[in-house]
């Protein structure tokens, strides 16, 4: 089993699972203000989307500074998206990740990251892929907390629940 690919599939499934739950709620829930790390659920999803898009560009060979410059505006562009709109863009992004994984011969290849916030280091592509999943998991937890603060239940989207779902098309 290719663990980075499996975890990427999980990441896409978990995001779609949470968005499916949010689709069941009043549409206003995406923009209701809460006192947490993001002011709205829409803002949290917009952040995750922009960052996942950014990392894909970096893994594809774009410098981190250029990827940040290209992707951070996406956060503002998607800020007010509905759950349905986020489902579409995250689905498209998942397909882009699948295509990227299919194009890779060596996920243990090392690239040099010139991170404008913390400096330069060498990192394996597999490490970045795991970071993308971990980042998404962290923020889905934020969103679940936000839902509870707004008086709504979230939904289970842990990796162990992913194991029991219909088989996901492998990459």
């Amino acid at each position: 089993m290719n663990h980075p690919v499996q975890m990427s599939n999980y990441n896409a499934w978990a995001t779609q699972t949470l968005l499916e739950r949010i689709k069941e709620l009043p549409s206003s829930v995406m923009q209701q203000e809460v006192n947490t790390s993001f002011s709205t659920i829409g803002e949290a999803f917009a952040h995750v989307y922009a960052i996942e898009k950014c990392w894909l560009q970096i893994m594809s060979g774009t410098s981190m500074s250029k990827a940040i410059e290209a992707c951070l505006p996406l956060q503002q562009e998607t800020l007010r998206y509905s759950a349905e709109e986020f489902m579409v863009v995250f689905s498209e992004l998942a397909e882009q990740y699948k295509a990227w994984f299919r194009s890779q011969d060596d996920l243990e290849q090392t690239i040099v990251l010139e991170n404008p916030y913390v400096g330069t280091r060498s990192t394996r592509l597999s490490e970045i892929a795991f970071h993308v999943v971990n980042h998404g998991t962290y923020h889905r937890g934020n969103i679940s907390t936000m839902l509870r603060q707004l008086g709504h239940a979230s939904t289970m989207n842990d990796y162990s629940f992913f194991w029991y779902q219909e088989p996901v098309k492998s990459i």
Side-chain angles (χ1 to χ4, degrees):
M1 173 193 312
N2 186 323
H3 291 289
V5 170
Q6 180 73 356
M7 294 305 292
S8 184
N9 287 338
Y10 158 69
N11 191 53
W13 170 85
T15 297
Q16 292 296 334
T17 297
L18 188 53
L19 284 163
E20 282 287 346
R21 168 63 184 129
I22 292 170
K23 246 176 58 173
E24 298 169 356
L25 303 173
S27 61
S28 62
V29 78
M30 290 292 285
Q31 301 305 322
Q32 281 183 267
E33 299 245 344
V34 290
N35 187 18
T36 187
S37 55
F38 294 99
S39 60
T40 68
I41 290 171
E43 188 178 319
F45 275 118
H47 168 77
V48 171
Y49 176 70
I51 297 304
E52 287 187 9
K53 192 88 166 164
C54 184
W55 281 113
L56 181 59
Q57 286 191 14
I58 293 164
M59 291 189 301
S60 298
T62 302
S63 72
M64 183 174 259
S65 59
K66 287 191 187 304
I68 290 170
E69 184 181 325
C71 293
L72 284 187
L74 294 173
Q75 193 163 330
Q76 287 302 311
E77 291 171 24
T78 59
L79 198 55
R80 296 230 174 265
Y81 273 21
S82 67
E84 293 86 358
E85 290 170 311
F86 273 119
M87 289 179 82
V88 170
V89 295
F90 274 108
S91 178
E92 291 168 351
L93 185 56
E95 290 302 316
Q96 292 168 11
Y97 267 92
K98 286 178 183 181
W100 180 83
F101 276 114
R102 281 191 300 267
S103 75
Q104 297 306 303
D105 294 328
D106 183 13
L107 291 176
E108 296 310 305
Q109 172 189 346
T110 299
I111 65 169
V112 175
L113 286 180
E114 293 180 11
N115 188 317
Y117 305 109
V118 292
T120 302
R121 80 179 299 267
S122 294
T123 305
R124 293 186 317 271
L125 293 172
S126 62
E127 287 180 289
I128 295 171
F130 279 118
H131 167 70
V132 170
V133 175
N134 194 47
H135 179 261
T137 300
Y138 174 76
H139 287 304
R140 283 188 299 274
N142 293 151
I143 293 166
S144 289
T145 298
M146 295 166 85
L147 285 170
R148 287 184 196 99
Q149 288 177 343
L150 294 169
H152 304 286
S154 187
T155 189
M156 299 300 257
N157 58 62
D158 290 358
Y159 184 57
S160 62
F161 283 87
F162 173 68
W163 298 338
Y164 296 93
Q165 301 308 306
E166 290 293 317
V168 177
K169 257 198 238 177
S170 63
I171 294 177

